[in-house]
Amino acid sequence: MNSSQATDILSYDPGNFYDELFAAQGSVRPEQALLGDALSQMGPPELLARQQAAETALLRMGITFQVYGDEGKGERVFPFDLVPRVITSPEWNRIERGLKQRITALNLFVDDIYHDKKILKDKIVPDWVVYSSKGYLEPCEGMNPPLGIWCHICGSDLIRDEHGDFYVLEDNLRCPSGVSYVLANRMVMKRTLPEVFARMNVRPVADYPDMLLQTLRSVSPHTQGAPRIVVLSPGIYNSAYFEHAFLAQQTGAELVEGRDLVVSDGFVCMKTTRGLQRVDVIYRRINDDYLDPRTFRPDSVLGVAGLMEVFKAGRVAIANMPGPGVADDKVVYAFVPDMIKYYLDEDPILPNVPTYLCSREEERNHVLQNLDKLVVKESDGAGGYGMLIGPASTKAEQDTFADHIKANPRGYIAQPTLSLSRSPILLKDGTLGGRHLDLRPFVLYGKDIKVLPGGLTRVAMREGSLVVNSSQGGGSKDTWVLNQEGGVS
Amino acid sequence: MNTGILLSRVADSIYWMSRYMERVENTVRLMEVNWNLMLDLPQVQTNEWESLLHVSGDFDLFKSAYDEINAENVMRFMTFDLLNPNSMYACLTAARENSRAVRDVITPDMWVLINSMYLMVKSYDSNARGFYTNPFDFYREIQENVLHFYGVEHASTFRGQAWNFNQLGRMLERADKTTRILDVRYFLLLPSLREVGTALEDLQWSAMLRSVSSLEPFVKKYGPVSARGIIEYLLLDPQNPRSLRYCLQHADQSLRNINGTPFGTYSNDAERRLGQLCADLNYLTVDEIIRIGLHECLDDLQIRMNRVHTAISETYFNPDVQTQNQGGL
């Protein structure tokens, strides 16, 4: 690096964290030297100008989301940071193998739970863990989805500790969202830092819609002609509506709401200007509970009455199936390494974050004595809500959580407060500041299992914050997975 | 890509997106022309501004919210006031909401244009920008944006059902606005219909033609401004892209394309009503219009256009409430 051109970025302090870009202060990781040089040479004014251009492009494209309880403010742009998060080829290969292993085991687990329950009979997972999970759906007992696949689209959340090791923080087997931001971020980044992007040999992500389409087609119950695929959305006021529309557009699927569908003569049909038309595959983006008021919540108006009967008759496929949410429960999560061992006879490639179950007395006591050190989460919580981050909490908050835990031990788990990795983001003054981040890769499970290279890097935009969720002010970065030969020039 | 079959809800949204965009353009054009006209008129004539309120049928709503009819109030009411469902901003918001509901069907460029336009208007500070003393640049920018949108749409939209519903909405909206503008101006300028106009009246007639964007071609074909010429040009001329006849013929073509129905036949009530209306217009003369009375004639045409709209809505947008004319699976 030419030190005479060095600007502010080399004064960036990675702190006592694993930093994604810097190996140490003033020293960019060798695989990312091109990126470091480019940022350094551009300097604050140019970086700020490019950041501004990227934000304007995202706003005009309407790449927004809605925060619940915040309807008055309408749509918000998902905050975006122009410094990409880079993952090297060897790192990625391991993640990809780990994710494939994990989804295979999770899918076998879900199928087992709704059929023979061998893993319960063999006492690997206790009965109560499964039957007390809110995601366990009794009506799914005995259901047989095409190819035995329950979890077609999965988005597990990964984090990195202070040594740079990846862990799985949670699995999202119901309706993981965020993939449209991956594609949009990439579109914008190719315009924002084209000269760096061109030289870094980054693996493309643009084929995701095609992979998704193939996955959805592969589970169609009807083999004659091109299957008609729909994306079932709650509508334009849903927080992820942009994504629903985007995926429908990119895959050529119809974007439908529950009111557009009806069960007629034993098939699911959509109401069109040419009358009712049969639907073969439903990529649903509404919750399990709402899918079919006759099977699940009777008050639901978002779903389709009679859908599950059509499914059982083998006349429509649903992705993801209702039911896998049983494994999104954080108590069930704690058993995923055991599932991998049980079903695949392999050791987990990607480890879990160590988890204490408050329903076990010994572990509960440990948690209660260490509330100031641990992160406590609701077993069925999501979106960064209902959490206690021990080291950042007050005594009063700890006491409240202690009461919650004692009243409902099954409802809580605890994990050590990991020192999440950080990456620099561009601050308002044009300098760089370190912020914590995670990674949500997307896995598609059809005839084959495919993993989109990279995924959504979510970053806490507030200094010191460990919460990366978009609903709580988190932003995102483009994720660059380098090709084998990439990164070094 | 499916073969141009549309969800009923989507057809509905596309139709309305198109109508609202056309309404945005018409409103802005009307405001800009009127503002221009006011600069030419000798003294403050509030009835010119008042007439605009009658074009959109919002006079009562205006009176309930504003004390005085003056340029600033009417411009504010017709341009930015969300209380007025026909204001440019309200129509643009509705166009955007409808396009948001069909983002998967329209092209990404179309969405970006509508959205950028909306964001521009939303953040526009009319007071700080001196809008009420010189609204010209703003109105021009909106018109250019709409035309840009039309260009992108025309150049990039797949000519399937979505396109036909889009064109149907636009042409019906345009036909409606042409008749309304003619109706209102006719009332204001009534005395001059059979006489030689004063210089002032000429200005007003010219302004009306400008507000439907067609003064120059009029003069080329019909010569000096005359009431008969204007009636023929705006209602019956098959070559004027804003004439009632032109708009309805194109709406008729789009409506037939949706079902593949040949001319001279019909497969639903919407096609029957619109076909009948077009046939009547084909054989209507200016003399006959004057004999019936222009206002009575326009009134009748508007009622019939409303019935066409209702029939389209019942045929295509609410398939639950009518017997289907096509098979299901």
Side-chain angles (χ1 to χ4, degrees):
Chain A
M1 186 169 301
N2 184 342
S3 61
S4 67
Q5 288 172 320
T7 60
D8 281 324
I9 83 147
L10 294 182
S11 64
Y12 168 80
D13 178 14
N16 289 324
F17 300 97
Y18 183 89
D19 194 278
E20 301 285 342
L21 180 57
F22 288 86
Q25 183 161 9
S27 162
V28 171
R29 293 184 183 280
E31 303 87 350
Q32 305 182 44
L34 284 169
L35 175 62
D37 285 352
L39 295 176
S40 175
Q41 280 163 23
M42 268 181 249
E46 177 68 19
L47 288 172
L48 286 172
R50 295 199 188 199
Q51 171 75 28
Q52 181 62 46
E55 284 173 14
T56 304
L58 288 166
L59 181 65
R60 290 180 153 228
M61 285 155 80
I63 296 176
T64 55
F65 68 102
Q66 185 122 27
V67 175
Y68 295 119
D70 199 15
E71 277 77 6
K73 293 195 183 130
E75 314 119 57
R76 276 202 220 155
V77 175
F78 196 14
F80 171 79
D81 178 70
L82 96 169
V83 181
R85 187 257 189 93
V86 175
I87 300 175
T88 65
S89 182
E91 285 170 342
W92 179 253
N93 291 340
R94 192 164 154 274
I95 293 173
E96 183 170 327
R97 282 189 294 117
L99 290 169
K100 285 182 173 175
Q101 176 195 53
R102 196 169 174 100
I103 191 69
T104 306
L106 279 166
N107 194 70
L108 288 168
F109 170 73
V110 174
D111 201 57
D112 188 21
I113 286 304
Y114 292 116
H115 289 96
D116 300 339
K117 306 173 191 13
K118 290 197 232 80
I119 200 166
L120 304 183
K121 289 172 189 158
D122 288 339
K123 310 274 183 218
I124 306 296
V125 177
D127 288 19
W128 64 265
V129 167
V130 168
Y131 295 122
S132 60
S133 162
K134 284 199 179 136
Y136 168 77
L137 297 175
E138 201 271 329
C140 294
E141 286 289 342
M143 282 189 186
N144 292 301
L147 309 179
I149 300 167
W150 294 74
C151 325
H152 308 82
I153 298 112
C154 173
S156 298
D157 289 343
L158 307 186
I159 53 167
R160 241 175 158 175
D161 69 3
E162 66 268 34
H163 309 295
D165 294 328
F166 281 96
Y167 292 83
V168 178
L169 186 63
E170 61 183 57
D171 302 289
N172 294 289
L173 300 176
R174 284 170 290 186
C175 301
S177 65
V179 73
S180 58
Y181 300 110
V182 176
L183 275 68
N185 285 353
R186 178 60 56 84
M187 270 188 261
V188 168
M189 272 308 270
K190 283 161 82 174
R191 285 195 230 165
T192 307
L193 296 177
E195 55 288 70
V196 195
F197 185 84
R199 293 166 62 203
M200 289 278 284
N201 204 355
V202 178
R203 289 185 61 183
V205 294
D207 56 345
Y208 179 83
D210 194 56
M211 289 177 355
L212 175 63
L213 182 59
Q214 285 178 29
T215 302
L216 295 172
R217 282 188 168 197
S218 72
V219 296
S220 170
H222 305 111
T223 47
Q224 284 187 332
R228 177 167 283 124
I229 297 168
V230 299
V231 177
L232 176 57
S233 166
I236 64 168
Y237 298 110
N238 183 264
S239 63
Y241 175 73
F242 158 71
E243 174 152 310
H244 307 162
F246 179 84
L247 292 175
Q249 184 174 55
Q250 297 295 312
T251 56
E254 293 289 338
L255 180 63
V256 303
E257 298 173 22
R259 59 189 160 125
D260 299 318
L261 299 181
V262 65
V263 170
S264 172
D265 291 338
F267 289 92
V268 177
C269 298
M270 54 184 199
K271 301 172 195 168
T272 79
T273 53
R274 294 248 161 100
L276 298 179
Q277 302 284 337
R278 191 183 79 198
V279 169
D280 303 306
V281 182
I282 298 175
Y283 175 22
R284 53 98 178 191
R285 296 296 299 258
I286 67 177
N287 286 338
D288 292 12
D289 288 357
Y290 294 101
L291 272 175
D292 179 354
R294 289 203 196 133
T295 305
F296 304 109
R297 272 176 73 148
D299 60 334
S300 166
V301 291
L302 296 176
V304 189
L307 169 63
M308 295 317 295
E309 281 306 312
V310 181
F311 169 79
K312 283 184 194 163
R315 290 169 156 188
V316 72
I318 304 170
N320 291 355
M321 278 290 293
V326 63
D328 284 351
D329 182 280
K330 291 187 173 64
V331 178
V332 178
Y333 155 88
F335 292 90
V336 175
D338 300 327
M339 295 174 197
I340 292 172
K341 191 81 191 152
Y342 180 74
Y343 293 113
L344 307 177
D345 195 22
E346 294 171 9
D347 291 324
I349 298 167
L350 289 171
N352 264 17
V353 177
T355 302
Y356 302 103
L357 304 183
C358 295
S359 35
R360 290 178 174 157
E361 192 180 353
E362 196 179 326
E363 294 176 32
R364 177 169 64 247
N365 290 337
H366 176 79
V367 171
L368 290 171
Q369 282 158 23
N370 292 282
L371 283 173
D372 57 336
K373 301 185 191 72
L374 299 170
V375 176
V376 182
K377 297 176 180 173
E378 292 176 0
S379 304
D380 59 351
Y385 295 104
M387 276 169 64
L388 176 81
I389 298 175
S393 65
T394 64
K395 184 74 178 62
E397 285 165 345
Q398 292 166 22
D399 290 346
T400 311
F401 263 78
D403 291 343
H404 289 335
I405 290 170
K406 286 177 203 157
N408 176 19
R410 169 67 180 84
Y412 293 88
I413 58 106
Q415 294 167 335
T417 309
L418 292 182
S419 178
L420 293 194
S421 66
R422 298 201 316 184
S423 162
I425 67 166
L426 185 68
L427 302 176
K428 296 255 179 293
D429 64 358
T431 62
L432 300 179
R435 295 291 184 274
H436 295 294
L437 42 68
D438 78 351
L439 177 67
R440 175 176 288 182
F442 292 90
V443 185
L444 293 172
Y445 194 167
K447 276 207 172 70
D448 318 298
I449 301 176
K450 291 174 184 156
V451 185
L452 180 68
L456 183 65
T457 290
R458 300 187 300 177
V459 54
M461 303 301 273
R462 268 185 297 126
E463 189 166 11
S465 171
L466 293 169
V467 183
V468 297
N469 303 77
S470 56
S471 50
Q472 307 213 19
S476 74
K477 286 169 170 289
D478 195 12
T479 312
W480 291 3
V481 174
L482 304 183
N483 260 318
Q484 202 74 51
E485 61 276 31
V488 197
S489 62
Chain B
M1 191 78 200
N2 288 313
T3 52
I5 291 170
L6 278 192
L7 287 177
S8 300
R9 176 177 56 78
V10 168
D12 192 18
S13 287
I14 288 186
Y15 175 86
W16 279 108
M17 171 190 81
S18 182
R19 283 199 83 139
Y20 279 121
M21 278 304 268
E22 181 68 20
R23 216 170 274 182
V24 165
E25 204 238 352
N26 278 308
T27 302
V28 165
R29 191 188 294 278
L30 204 55
M31 300 303 293
E32 187 228 305
V33 167
N34 206 62
W35 182 75
N36 251 309
L37 173 65
M38 297 310 288
L39 296 182
D40 283 336
L41 295 185
Q43 72 274 344
V44 178
Q45 298 221 344
T46 55
N47 61 348
E48 288 294 332
W49 289 110
E50 184 177 333
S51 75
L52 295 188
L53 299 170
H54 290 294
V55 170
S56 63
D58 295 317
F59 182 74
D60 292 338
L61 183 64
F62 177 88
K63 290 296 277 183
S64 72
Y66 294 80
D67 297 334
E68 194 190 335
I69 299 178
N70 58 36
E72 179 167 338
N73 280 348
V74 176
M75 282 201 278
R76 188 189 301 279
F77 177 73
M78 293 298 291
T79 311
F80 299 110
D81 196 341
L82 285 177
L83 196 74
N84 172 13
N86 288 314
S87 74
M88 183 277 291
Y89 185 31
C91 291
L92 181 57
T93 305
R96 177 175 179 268
E97 282 294 283
N98 276 291
S99 68
R100 223 156 89 77
V102 295
R103 259 179 91 161
D104 59 313
V105 179
I106 61 175
T107 64
D109 284 345
M110 284 167 68
W111 159 256
V112 170
L113 282 170
I114 285 199
N115 193 40
S116 305
M117 198 172 154
Y118 166 82
L119 294 171
M120 187 273 281
V121 175
K122 189 180 175 198
S123 63
Y124 185 84
D125 185 337
S126 54
N127 291 318
R129 304 280 287 272
F131 172 79
Y132 297 102
T133 47
N134 184 3
F136 181 79
D137 288 343
F138 177 79
Y139 284 143
R140 227 33 244 181
E141 187 175 352
I142 296 291
Q143 285 177 59
E144 280 164 11
N145 272 309
V146 177
L147 293 174
H148 185 182
F149 176 79
Y150 286 175
V152 168
E153 182 182 75
H154 191 87
S156 66
T157 303
F158 183 77
R159 296 310 198 254
Q161 280 215 26
W163 172 257
N164 288 316
F165 279 105
N166 183 332
Q167 293 299 296
L168 182 60
R170 172 152 320 138
M171 287 300 162
L172 287 179
E173 180 67 27
R174 196 173 285 175
D176 178 69
K177 276 292 173 295
T178 300
T179 55
R180 278 171 183 271
I181 290 173
L182 183 58
D183 201 14
V184 167
R185 292 290 159 157
Y186 163 79
F187 257 90
L188 277 176
L189 299 170
L190 190 58
S192 67
L193 241 184
R194 288 190 181 81
E195 298 157 16
V196 180
T198 63
L200 174 64
E201 284 159 357
D202 274 358
L203 274 178
Q204 289 170 308
W205 281 116
S206 306
M208 189 201 63
L209 284 171
R210 276 209 191 86
S211 65
V212 289
S213 82
S214 40
L215 177 65
E216 291 78 6
F218 175 88
V219 174
K220 208 173 193 86
K221 183 162 177 181
Y222 297 88
V225 174
S226 71
R228 286 183 67 91
I230 286 174
I231 291 173
E232 173 151 2
Y233 185 60
L234 290 188
L235 294 185
L236 304 178
D237 195 321
Q239 289 168 312
N240 170 14
R242 293 202 167 243
S243 80
L244 185 65
R245 185 169 165 198
Y246 180 96
C247 292
L248 290 182
Q249 276 179 351
H250 280 75
D252 187 48
Q253 179 67 63
S254 299
L255 184 62
R256 287 171 184 285
N257 289 347
I258 291 166
N259 245 1
T261 311
F263 281 102
T265 67
Y266 61 89
S267 68
N268 57 47
D269 198 40
E271 289 173 356
R272 188 181 66 81
R273 286 182 183 278
L274 185 51
Q276 207 167 31
L277 184 50
C278 287
D280 287 350
L281 276 177
N282 283 344
Y283 302 104
L284 195 61
T285 63
V286 177
D287 284 337
E288 207 175 339
I289 293 171
I290 291 176
R291 200 179 66 241
I292 300 167
L294 179 60
H295 176 67
E296 288 72 16
C297 192
L298 290 171
D299 226 25
D300 178 60
L301 289 167
Q302 275 177 6
I303 290 169
R304 292 176 69 182
M305 283 193 280
N306 285 340
R307 286 192 184 131
V308 169
H309 166 75
T310 307
I312 290 169
S313 190
E314 281 168 3
T315 305
Y316 290 113
F317 306 153
N318 305 305
D320 292 347
V321 301
Q322 52 123 38
T323 52
Q324 276 298 314
N325 45 14
Q326 290 92 23
L329 311 171

